[in-house]
Amino acid sequence: MTPSKNRPLPTPTSLSAPHWEGCRQGVLRVQRCRVCATYVFIPQPICTGCQRDALEWVESSGRGRVYSFTTVHRPPRPEFDVPYVVAIIELDEGWHMLTNLIGCAPDQIAVDMPVVVTFERISDDISLPMFRPAPE
Ligand code: ZN
């Protein structure tokens, strides 16, 4: 099930704007350090690997595997339709992202399942990156 489109939405900041603009364009962007090649997500002002001011935005493959997940039956706010799945995805580049997993029943999800990013257009400005099972 897709989480409700009435859910609270993120407010892009100057730091996170490249990520959200990428989502709006259907591209998953992540920061990577030009010095030590660490991928950094969520957006940060400096590298979490070497603490240098050397982050740049790069495109992710948008492909990964389920690292962990849970099914939410009691929503934190009434705007969320339940049940929905919250998952940590390990992208092929090795970084992790907290997101929603859609397009399959919760009892069909397994750790290590291949997934691919998809973008749920919520408004003119916001498309939320979510993941669905990768095509066979
Ligand atoms: Zn670094």
Side-chain angles (χ1 to χ4, degrees):
M1 170 177 276
T2 301
S4 169
K5 292 190 183 230
N6 295 321
R7 65 196 288 174
L9 296 178
T11 302
T13 64
S14 59
L15 185 61
S16 66
H19 170 74
W20 293 114
E21 179 58 20
C23 292
R24 200 177 66 78
Q25 297 173 5
V27 175
L28 186 61
R29 290 183 184 149
V30 61
Q31 291 174 304
R32 185 178 60 196
C33 181
R34 290 187 302 269
V35 175
C36 73
T38 296
Y39 284 90
V40 176
F41 190 84
I42 56 176
Q44 299 293 328
I46 62 171
C47 176
T48 55
C50 69
Q51 286 73 53
R52 290 192 174 93
D53 181 13
L55 294 176
E56 63 182 350
W57 288 96
V58 296
E59 287 187 17
S60 167
S61 67
R63 297 188 164 276
R65 294 182 177 272
V66 174
Y67 181 81
S68 181
F69 71 98
T70 190
T71 303
V72 177
H73 294 277
R74 296 182 63 187
R77 296 170 58 136
E79 297 91 343
F80 287 81
D81 296 331
V82 291
Y84 63 91
V85 176
V86 175
I88 299 173
I89 304 303
E90 183 173 79
L91 278 297
D92 284 355
E93 299 90 4
W95 60 286
H96 294 78
M97 181 176 182
L98 184 66
T99 184
N100 291 122
L101 192 52
I102 62 173
C104 61
D107 64 359
Q108 298 297 306
I109 300 169
V111 167
D112 222 28
M113 184 173 89
V115 292
V116 62
V117 73
T118 186
F119 298 93
E120 293 289 309
R121 187 175 185 275
I122 307 295
S123 71
D124 287 345
D125 297 325
I126 296 294
S127 291
L128 297 175
M130 299 181 185
F131 284 78
R132 64 177 57 249
E136 298 288 326

